[in-house]
Amino acid sequence: MKIYYDLHIHSDLSPCAHSHMTPNNIVNMSCIKGLNIISVTDHNSAKNLPAVMKVSENKIKTIPGIEVTTREEVHVLCYFKNLYEAYEFGDIIYESLPDIKNNPSLFGPQNIYNEEDEITGNLEKLLLSASGFSIRELGIATKEFHGVMVPAHINKKTNSILEILGFIPDNLKVDFVEIFNKLQIDDKLLKKYKILINSDAHILTDISEPVNYIELSSVDEVFDYLQII
């Protein structure tokens, strides 16, 4: 069966996301659009995942995820099988960020929500900073937490592995790459990899329509498909 997905969505925790990107709004919009699986992947933190996972119960399959900025300024998506491992991994990434405080008036707020869409706190360090992990180190760390690393929006001109490194190193041993759904890419670059096509949504209307899909017998097979142990 066709399982429609969007595995790259930002909540209001990411300073670049709209304030409407609350846990309930994201889940409800994804359901309205007819998606079967989503992942909320905020920059360098998993602090909104508990609320998102709670809200999504019995509504839509949600994969715990984070978008990490490596030391090289490359964006990668890290997906996990359970909230506990994603949350612990997110804390390690956050601790590795430099002590640069966020300026909400310049970059936007970094709000933490509960399942009622109430703001319960915010993060002080700027989440747009590069973490202390190189891309190779991040790949190793992700596997230690039983997750999978996917180079993000490789067809973008900013923070993509192709733009910054010029190639995808073989020693990363990645099986998937992500394509930003609004840009083209030379198909010759993709022959070695499985493709995820996501929205990188920062506003509700940008969450994917039911266009991109994977063939699975059920939504629960998505972890096997992504090779998340």
Side-chain angles (χ1 to χ4, degrees):
M1 61 189 287
K2 292 180 179 179
I3 303 296
Y4 296 97
Y5 68 89
D6 189 350
L7 304 184
H8 190 168
I9 301 171
H10 290 271
S11 80
D12 190 35
L13 177 61
S14 295
C16 43
H18 195 279
S19 61
H20 291 168
M21 299 297 278
T22 64
N24 279 276
N25 284 346
I26 291 170
V27 169
N28 290 335
M29 179 61 82
S30 299
C31 291
I32 289 170
K33 289 199 170 193
L35 299 179
N36 305 114
I37 304 175
I38 62 169
S39 183
V40 172
T41 52
D42 282 309
H43 290 291
N44 292 322
S45 176
K47 290 297 185 185
N48 270 345
L49 288 185
V52 170
M53 300 297 287
K54 182 68 175 178
V55 170
S56 65
E57 287 179 2
N58 302 316
K59 288 186 176 181
I60 191 169
K61 186 73 173 181
T62 301
I63 300 172
I66 307 171
E67 182 175 22
V68 180
T69 305
T70 71
R71 190 187 303 151
E72 301 92 342
E73 301 277 356
V74 173
H75 284 185
V76 297
L77 298 164
C78 300
Y79 299 118
F80 303 89
K81 194 164 189 176
N82 62 65
L83 173 60
Y84 174 79
E85 288 177 316
Y87 199 85
E88 188 175 354
F89 182 83
D91 283 347
I92 292 171
I93 297 301
Y94 182 78
E95 288 301 315
S96 79
L97 296 178
D99 289 322
I100 300 173
K101 289 187 177 181
N102 180 41
N103 182 342
S105 63
L106 180 61
F107 298 108
Q110 300 179 154
N111 291 322
I112 302 170
Y113 287 83
N114 64 18
E115 64 269 23
E116 303 296 328
D117 279 0
E118 299 167 328
I119 296 174
T120 59
N122 55 73
L123 290 181
E124 197 168 83
K125 288 183 180 181
L126 179 63
L127 294 178
L128 299 179
S129 300
S131 73
F133 290 81
S134 71
I135 191 168
R136 183 176 178 278
E137 291 168 344
L138 190 68
I140 294 170
T142 303
K143 288 180 180 178
E144 289 175 349
F145 281 81
H146 308 107
V148 63
M149 183 180 77
V150 178
H153 44 65
I154 66 168
N155 53 335
K156 277 189 174 184
K157 293 295 184 183
T158 55
N159 299 112
S160 74
I161 192 169
L162 293 181
E163 184 67 19
I164 292 176
L165 300 185
F167 68 108
I168 301 175
D170 289 336
N171 63 4
L172 291 183
K173 298 180 180 179
V174 295
D175 295 304
F176 289 84
V177 294
E178 184 210 35
I179 303 299
F180 178 51
N181 63 1
K182 294 182 179 179
L183 294 174
Q184 300 297 314
I185 188 170
D186 187 345
D187 290 341
K188 294 177 182 178
L189 298 173
L190 306 177
K191 291 181 178 179
K192 293 172 59 177
Y193 307 100
K194 295 179 181 178
I195 308 301
L196 296 175
I197 303 175
N198 295 316
S199 70
D200 193 8
H202 289 68
I203 60 175
L204 287 171
T205 53
D206 278 353
I207 293 174
S208 292
E209 302 294 332
V211 174
N212 304 305
Y213 64 88
I214 50 181
E215 291 279 359
L216 302 174
S217 297
S218 73
V219 292
D220 292 325
E221 289 184 2
V222 67
F223 295 110
D224 291 334
Y225 177 79
L226 292 174
Q227 301 171 30
I228 300 173
I229 301 172

Coordinates of all heavy atoms in Angstrom, one line a residue, residues 100-153:
I100 N 26.6 30.3 22.4 CA 26.1 31.5 21.7 C 24.6 31.6 22.0 O 23.8 30.7 21.6 CB 26.3 31.5 20.2 CG1 27.8 31.4 19.9 CG2 25.7 32.7 19.5 CD1 28.1 31.1 18.4
K101 N 24.2 32.7 22.7 CA 22.8 32.8 23.1 C 21.9 33.2 21.9 O 22.3 34.0 21.0 CB 22.6 33.8 24.2 CG 23.1 33.3 25.5 CD 22.8 34.3 26.6 CE 23.3 33.8 28.0 NZ 22.9 34.8 29.1
N102 N 20.7 32.7 21.8 CA 19.8 33.1 20.8 C 19.3 34.5 21.1 O 19.1 34.9 22.2 CB 18.5 32.1 20.8 CG 17.5 32.5 19.8 OD1 17.9 32.9 18.7 ND2 16.2 32.5 20.1
N103 N 19.1 35.2 20.0 CA 18.5 36.6 20.1 C 17.1 36.4 19.4 O 17.0 36.5 18.2 CB 19.3 37.6 19.3 CG 18.8 39.0 19.4 OD1 17.6 39.2 19.7 ND2 19.6 40.0 19.1
P104 N 16.0 36.3 20.2 CA 14.7 36.0 19.6 C 14.2 37.1 18.7 O 13.5 36.8 17.7 CB 13.8 35.9 20.8 CG 14.7 35.5 22.0 CD 16.0 36.2 21.7
S105 N 14.6 38.3 18.9 CA 14.2 39.4 18.0 C 14.9 39.4 16.7 O 14.4 39.9 15.7 CB 14.4 40.8 18.7 OG 15.8 41.0 18.9
L106 N 16.0 38.7 16.6 CA 16.7 38.6 15.4 C 16.5 37.2 14.7 O 16.2 37.2 13.5 CB 18.2 38.7 15.7 CG 19.2 38.6 14.5 CD1 18.9 39.8 13.5 CD2 20.6 38.7 14.9
F107 N 16.6 36.1 15.4 CA 16.4 34.8 14.8 C 15.1 34.2 15.0 O 14.7 33.3 14.3 CB 17.5 33.9 15.4 CG 18.9 34.3 15.2 CD1 19.7 34.8 16.2 CD2 19.5 34.2 13.9 CE1 21.0 35.2 16.0 CE2 20.8 34.6 13.7 CZ 21.5 35.1 14.7
G108 N 14.3 34.6 16.0 CA 13.1 34.0 16.4 C 13.1 33.2 17.7 O 14.2 32.8 18.1
P109 N 12.0 33.0 18.3 CA 12.0 32.3 19.6 C 12.3 30.8 19.4 O 12.2 30.3 18.3 CB 10.6 32.5 20.1 CG 9.8 32.7 18.9 CD 10.6 33.4 17.9
Q110 N 12.7 30.1 20.5 CA 12.9 28.7 20.5 C 12.1 28.1 21.6 O 12.5 27.7 22.6 CB 14.4 28.4 20.7 CG 15.3 29.1 19.6 CD 16.8 28.9 19.8 OE1 17.6 28.9 18.9 NE2 17.2 28.7 21.1
N111 N 10.8 28.0 21.3 CA 9.8 27.6 22.3 C 9.6 26.1 22.5 O 9.5 25.4 21.5 CB 8.4 28.3 21.9 CG 8.5 29.8 22.1 OD1 9.1 30.3 23.0 ND2 7.8 30.5 21.2
I112 N 9.5 25.7 23.7 CA 9.1 24.3 24.1 C 7.7 24.3 24.4 O 7.2 25.1 25.2 CB 10.0 23.8 25.2 CG1 11.5 24.0 24.9 CG2 9.7 22.4 25.6 CD1 12.4 23.7 26.1
Y113 N 7.0 23.3 23.9 CA 5.5 23.2 24.2 C 5.2 21.9 24.9 O 5.9 20.9 24.8 CB 4.8 23.1 22.8 CG 4.7 24.5 22.1 CD1 5.8 24.9 21.3 CD2 3.6 25.3 22.2 CE1 5.8 26.1 20.6 CE2 3.6 26.5 21.5 CZ 4.7 26.9 20.7 OH 4.7 28.1 20.1
N114 N 4.0 21.9 25.5 CA 3.4 20.7 26.0 C 2.3 20.2 25.0 O 2.1 20.8 24.0 CB 2.8 20.8 27.4 CG 1.7 21.8 27.5 OD1 1.0 22.2 26.5 ND2 1.4 22.3 28.7
E115 N 1.6 19.1 25.4 CA 0.7 18.6 24.4 C -0.6 19.4 24.3 O -1.4 19.1 23.4 CB 0.3 17.1 24.8 CG -0.4 17.0 26.2 CD 0.6 16.8 27.3 OE1 1.7 17.2 27.2 OE2 0.1 16.2 28.3
E116 N -0.7 20.4 25.1 CA -1.9 21.4 25.0 C -1.5 22.6 24.2 O -2.2 23.6 24.1 CB -2.4 21.8 26.4 CG -2.8 20.6 27.3 CD -4.0 19.9 26.7 OE1 -4.8 20.5 26.0 OE2 -4.1 18.7 26.9
D117 N -0.3 22.6 23.6 CA 0.2 23.7 22.8 C 0.5 25.0 23.7 O 0.4 26.1 23.3 CB -0.7 24.1 21.7 CG -0.5 23.3 20.4 OD1 0.3 22.3 20.5 OD2 -1.2 23.5 19.4
E118 N 0.8 24.7 25.0 CA 1.2 25.7 25.9 C 2.7 25.8 25.9 O 3.3 24.8 26.0 CB 0.6 25.5 27.3 CG -0.9 25.4 27.4 CD -1.4 24.8 28.7 OE1 -0.7 23.9 29.2 OE2 -2.5 25.2 29.1
I119 N 3.2 27.0 25.9 CA 4.7 27.2 26.0 C 5.1 26.9 27.4 O 4.6 27.6 28.3 CB 5.1 28.6 25.5 CG1 4.8 28.8 24.0 CG2 6.6 28.8 25.7 CD1 5.0 30.2 23.5
T120 N 6.0 26.0 27.6 CA 6.5 25.7 28.9 C 7.9 26.1 29.2 O 8.4 26.0 30.3 CB 6.4 24.1 29.1 OG1 7.2 23.5 28.1 CG2 5.0 23.7 29.0
G121 N 8.6 26.6 28.1 CA 10.0 27.0 28.3 C 10.6 27.4 27.0 O 9.9 27.4 25.9
N122 N 11.8 27.7 27.0 CA 12.6 27.9 25.7 C 14.0 27.6 25.9 O 14.5 27.5 27.0 CB 12.4 29.4 25.2 CG 12.8 30.4 26.3 OD1 14.0 30.6 26.6 ND2 11.8 31.0 26.9
L123 N 14.7 27.4 24.8 CA 16.2 27.1 24.9 C 17.0 28.4 24.7 O 16.7 29.2 23.9 CB 16.5 26.1 23.8 CG 15.9 24.7 24.1 CD1 16.3 23.7 23.0 CD2 16.3 24.1 25.4
E124 N 18.1 28.4 25.4 CA 18.9 29.6 25.5 C 19.9 29.6 24.3 O 20.1 30.7 23.7 CB 19.6 29.7 26.8 CG 20.2 31.1 27.1 CD 20.6 31.2 28.6 OE1 21.7 30.8 28.9 OE2 19.8 31.8 29.4
K125 N 20.6 28.5 24.1 CA 21.6 28.5 23.1 C 21.0 28.6 21.7 O 19.9 28.1 21.5 CB 22.4 27.2 23.1 CG 23.4 27.0 24.3 CD 24.2 25.7 24.1 CE 25.2 25.5 25.2 NZ 25.9 24.2 25.0
L126 N 21.7 29.3 20.8 CA 21.2 29.4 19.4 C 21.2 28.0 18.7 O 22.3 27.5 18.5 CB 22.0 30.4 18.6 CG 21.6 30.6 17.2 CD1 20.2 31.2 17.1 CD2 22.6 31.6 16.5
L127 N 20.0 27.5 18.3 CA 19.9 26.2 17.7 C 20.4 26.2 16.3 O 20.6 25.1 15.7 CB 18.5 25.7 17.8 CG 18.0 25.4 19.2 CD1 16.5 25.0 19.1 CD2 18.8 24.4 19.9
L128 N 20.7 27.3 15.7 CA 21.2 27.4 14.3 C 22.7 27.3 14.2 O 23.2 27.2 13.1 CB 20.7 28.7 13.6 CG 19.2 29.0 13.5 CD1 19.0 30.3 12.9 CD2 18.6 27.8 12.7
S129 N 23.3 27.2 15.4 CA 24.8 27.0 15.4 C 25.2 25.6 15.0 O 24.4 24.7 15.0 CB 25.3 27.3 16.8 OG 25.0 28.6 17.2
A130 N 26.4 25.4 14.6 CA 27.0 24.1 14.3 C 27.2 23.4 15.6 O 27.7 23.9 16.6 CB 28.2 24.2 13.4
S131 N 26.9 22.1 15.6 CA 27.3 21.2 16.7 C 28.8 21.0 16.8 O 29.5 21.3 15.9 CB 26.5 19.9 16.6 OG 27.0 19.1 15.6
G132 N 29.2 20.3 17.8 CA 30.6 19.9 17.9 C 31.0 18.6 17.2 O 32.1 18.2 17.3
F133 N 30.0 18.0 16.5 CA 30.2 16.7 15.8 C 30.5 16.9 14.4 O 29.8 17.6 13.7 CB 29.0 15.8 16.0 CG 28.8 15.3 17.4 CD1 28.1 16.1 18.3 CD2 29.2 14.1 17.7 CE1 27.9 15.7 19.6 CE2 29.0 13.6 19.0 CZ 28.3 14.4 20.0
S134 N 31.6 16.3 13.9 CA 31.8 16.2 12.4 C 30.8 15.3 11.9 O 30.1 14.5 12.6 CB 33.2 15.7 12.1 OG 33.3 14.3 12.5
I135 N 30.6 15.3 10.5 CA 29.6 14.4 9.9 C 29.9 13.0 10.2 O 29.0 12.1 10.4 CB 29.4 14.8 8.4 CG1 28.2 14.1 7.9 CG2 30.7 14.4 7.6 CD1 27.8 14.6 6.5
R136 N 31.2 12.6 10.1 CA 31.6 11.2 10.4 C 31.3 10.8 11.8 O 30.8 9.8 12.1 CB 33.1 11.0 10.1 CG 33.5 9.6 10.2 CD 35.0 9.4 9.8 NE 35.4 8.0 10.0 CZ 35.8 7.5 11.2 NH1 35.9 8.3 12.2 NH2 36.2 6.3 11.3
E137 N 31.6 11.7 12.8 CA 31.4 11.4 14.2 C 29.9 11.3 14.4 O 29.4 10.5 15.3 CB 32.0 12.6 15.0 CG 33.5 12.6 15.1 CD 34.1 13.8 15.7 OE1 33.3 14.8 15.8 OE2 35.3 13.8 16.0
L138 N 29.1 12.2 13.7 CA 27.7 12.1 13.9 C 27.1 10.8 13.4 O 26.1 10.3 14.1 CB 27.0 13.3 13.2 CG 25.5 13.5 13.5 CD1 25.3 14.0 15.0 CD2 24.9 14.6 12.6
G139 N 27.6 10.3 12.3 CA 27.1 9.1 11.8 C 27.3 7.9 12.8 O 26.5 7.1 13.0
I140 N 28.5 7.9 13.4 CA 28.8 6.9 14.5 C 27.9 7.1 15.7 O 27.4 6.1 16.2 CB 30.3 7.0 14.9 CG1 31.2 6.7 13.7 CG2 30.6 6.2 16.1 CD1 32.7 7.0 13.9
A141 N 27.7 8.3 16.1 CA 26.9 8.6 17.3 C 25.5 8.2 17.1 O 24.8 7.6 17.9 CB 27.0 10.0 17.7
T142 N 25.0 8.5 15.9 CA 23.6 8.1 15.6 C 23.4 6.6 15.6 O 22.4 6.1 16.2 CB 23.2 8.6 14.2 OG1 23.4 10.0 14.1 CG2 21.7 8.3 13.8
K143 N 24.3 5.8 15.1 CA 24.2 4.4 15.1 C 24.3 3.9 16.6 O 23.7 2.9 16.9 CB 25.3 3.8 14.3 CG 25.1 3.9 12.8 CD 26.2 3.3 12.0 CE 25.9 3.5 10.5 NZ 27.0 3.0 9.6
E144 N 25.1 4.5 17.4 CA 25.2 4.1 18.8 C 23.8 4.3 19.5 O 23.5 3.6 20.5 CB 26.2 4.9 19.5 CG 27.7 4.6 19.1 CD 28.7 5.5 19.8 OE1 28.3 6.5 20.4 OE2 29.9 5.1 19.7
F145 N 23.0 5.2 19.0 CA 21.6 5.4 19.6 C 20.6 4.6 18.7 O 19.4 4.9 18.8 CB 21.3 6.8 19.7 CG 21.9 7.5 20.9 CD1 23.3 7.9 20.9 CD2 21.2 7.7 22.1 CE1 23.8 8.5 22.0 CE2 21.8 8.3 23.2 CZ 23.1 8.7 23.2
H146 N 21.1 3.7 17.9 CA 20.2 2.8 17.1 C 19.4 3.6 16.1 O 18.2 3.3 15.8 CB 19.3 2.0 18.0 CG 20.0 1.2 19.1 ND1 20.0 1.6 20.4 CD2 20.8 0.2 19.0 CE1 20.7 0.8 21.1 NE2 21.2 -0.1 20.3
G147 N 20.0 4.7 15.6 CA 19.3 5.6 14.6 C 19.9 5.5 13.3 O 20.9 4.7 13.1
V148 N 19.4 6.3 12.4 CA 19.9 6.3 11.0 C 20.1 7.8 10.6 O 19.3 8.7 11.0 CB 19.0 5.6 10.0 CG1 17.7 6.3 9.9 CG2 19.6 5.5 8.6
M149 N 21.2 8.1 9.9 CA 21.6 9.4 9.5 C 21.3 9.6 8.0 O 21.7 8.8 7.2 CB 23.0 9.8 9.8 CG 23.4 11.2 9.5 SD 25.2 11.5 9.9 CE 26.0 10.7 8.5
V150 N 20.6 10.7 7.6 CA 20.3 11.0 6.2 C 20.8 12.4 5.9 O 20.2 13.4 6.5 CB 18.8 10.8 6.0 CG1 18.4 11.2 4.5 CG2 18.3 9.4 6.4
P151 N 21.7 12.6 5.0 CA 22.1 13.9 4.5 C 20.8 14.7 4.0 O 20.0 14.1 3.2 CB 23.1 13.7 3.4 CG 23.7 12.3 3.7 CD 22.5 11.5 4.3
A152 N 20.6 15.9 4.5 CA 19.4 16.6 4.3 C 19.5 17.5 3.1 O 20.6 18.0 2.7 CB 19.1 17.5 5.5
H153 N 18.4 17.7 2.4 CA 18.2 18.6 1.3 C 19.5 18.8 0.5 O 20.0 19.9 0.3 CB 17.6 20.0 1.7 CG 18.2 20.6 2.9 ND1 19.5 21.0 3.0 CD2 17.7 20.9 4.1 CE1 19.8 21.5 4.2 NE2 18.7 21.4 4.9

